[in-house]
């Protein structure tokens, strides 16, 4: 396209990254990343999210995290990609640490809290950690989302706190 004098835009790079995932390699994705930065589209959050997704698709969490860290305007989607990748690799301690950073930097959604609770289940998280997350969930108004409430009920039950599990269940009704 560039050799023919056609200008690329965010959509062009989005589809190039899609092609890299389906037919290319990590090296191809890195080349596209370089072109994105050179062309001045590095600040586009949708394109950065696609780039994060591509790096994760190739198993390259380091570059995915680097892209998120370099984003001028991170959004919850960017962070959630990283949380999901950590969970998939059973890196629960990284989920918990990354989630703490998210609390300070971005508006959270139910998916982020659900990932954090799943990480608690798969790690040696303390009971107080679960209570702290529950407090954040309540403060931010996510206590009525079934995926979050179910995870809380499960974790409280697992730790033998039937009263807290019943309280969460009551909040659902």
């Amino acid at each position: 396209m560039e050799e023919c004098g056609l200008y690329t835009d965010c959509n062009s790079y989005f589809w190039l990254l899609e092609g890299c995932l389906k037919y290319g390699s990590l090296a191809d994705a890195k080349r596209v990343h370089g072109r994105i930065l050179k062309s001045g589209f590095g600040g586009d959050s949708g394109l950065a999210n696609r780039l994060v997704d591509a790096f994760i698709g190739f198993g390259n969490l380091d570059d995915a995290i680097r892209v998120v860290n370099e984003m001028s305007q991170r959004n919850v989607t960017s962070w959630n990609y990283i949380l999901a990748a950590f969970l998939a690799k059973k890196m629960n301690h990284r989920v918990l640490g990354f989630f703490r950073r998210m609390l300070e930097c971005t508006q959270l959604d139910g998916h982020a809290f659900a990932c954090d609770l799943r990480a608690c289940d798969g790690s040696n998280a303390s009971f107080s950690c679960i209570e702290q997350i529950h407090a954040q969930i309540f403060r931010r108004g996510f206590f009525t989302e079934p995926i979050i409430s179910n995870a809380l009920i499960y974790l409280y039950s697992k730790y033998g706190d039937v009263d807290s599990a019943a309280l969460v269940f009551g909040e659902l009704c």
Side-chain angles (χ1 to χ4, degrees):
M1 287 175 64
E2 291 172 344
E3 289 176 6
C4 294
L6 298 173
Y7 294 100
T8 53
D9 60 8
C10 287
N11 287 330
S12 304
Y13 290 115
F14 182 90
W15 290 111
L16 277 170
L17 289 168
E18 182 74 19
C20 288
L21 272 171
K22 287 187 178 179
Y23 310 108
S25 66
L26 175 60
D28 294 329
K30 286 185 175 196
R31 278 193 293 280
V32 172
H33 184 207
R35 296 296 302 164
I36 289 169
L37 294 175
K38 187 175 180 181
S39 67
F41 292 117
D44 183 87
S45 62
L47 190 54
N49 286 340
R50 187 66 186 124
L51 190 57
V52 168
D53 191 37
F55 283 142
I56 289 171
F58 286 113
N60 187 339
L61 282 175
D62 291 336
D63 280 338
I65 293 168
R66 191 172 301 113
V67 170
V68 169
N69 285 336
E70 292 172 357
M71 289 174 74
S72 58
Q73 291 189 328
R74 296 176 193 102
N75 57 34
V76 71
T77 303
S78 319
W79 295 87
N80 283 343
Y81 282 143
I82 302 294
L83 289 178
F86 284 148
L87 271 177
K89 292 191 174 271
K90 307 256 188 265
M91 300 170 73
N92 296 333
H93 63 286
R94 297 287 306 266
V95 172
L96 297 171
F98 217 72
F99 184 80
R100 300 301 171 272
R101 284 185 55 204
M102 287 177 70
L103 286 171
E104 301 166 7
C105 301
T106 191
Q107 243 346 62
L108 299 176
D109 65 0
H111 178 77
F113 281 107
C115 285
D116 201 39
L117 289 169
R118 281 191 297 238
C120 285
D121 184 34
S123 70
N124 293 328
S126 68
F127 183 74
S128 66
C129 178
I130 295 163
E131 290 180 313
Q132 290 170 12
I133 295 166
H134 187 186
Q136 286 290 332
I137 289 167
F138 192 80
R139 265 199 280 305
R140 294 169 188 247
F142 290 103
F143 56 90
T144 59
E145 288 195 27
I147 190 168
I148 294 172
S149 297
N150 289 336
L152 281 169
I153 291 167
Y154 169 78
L155 287 170
Y156 280 134
S157 299
K158 182 177 177 179
Y159 278 90
D161 187 349
V162 179
D163 292 335
S164 293
L167 179 68
V168 172
F169 182 76
E171 291 170 354
L172 275 174
C173 301

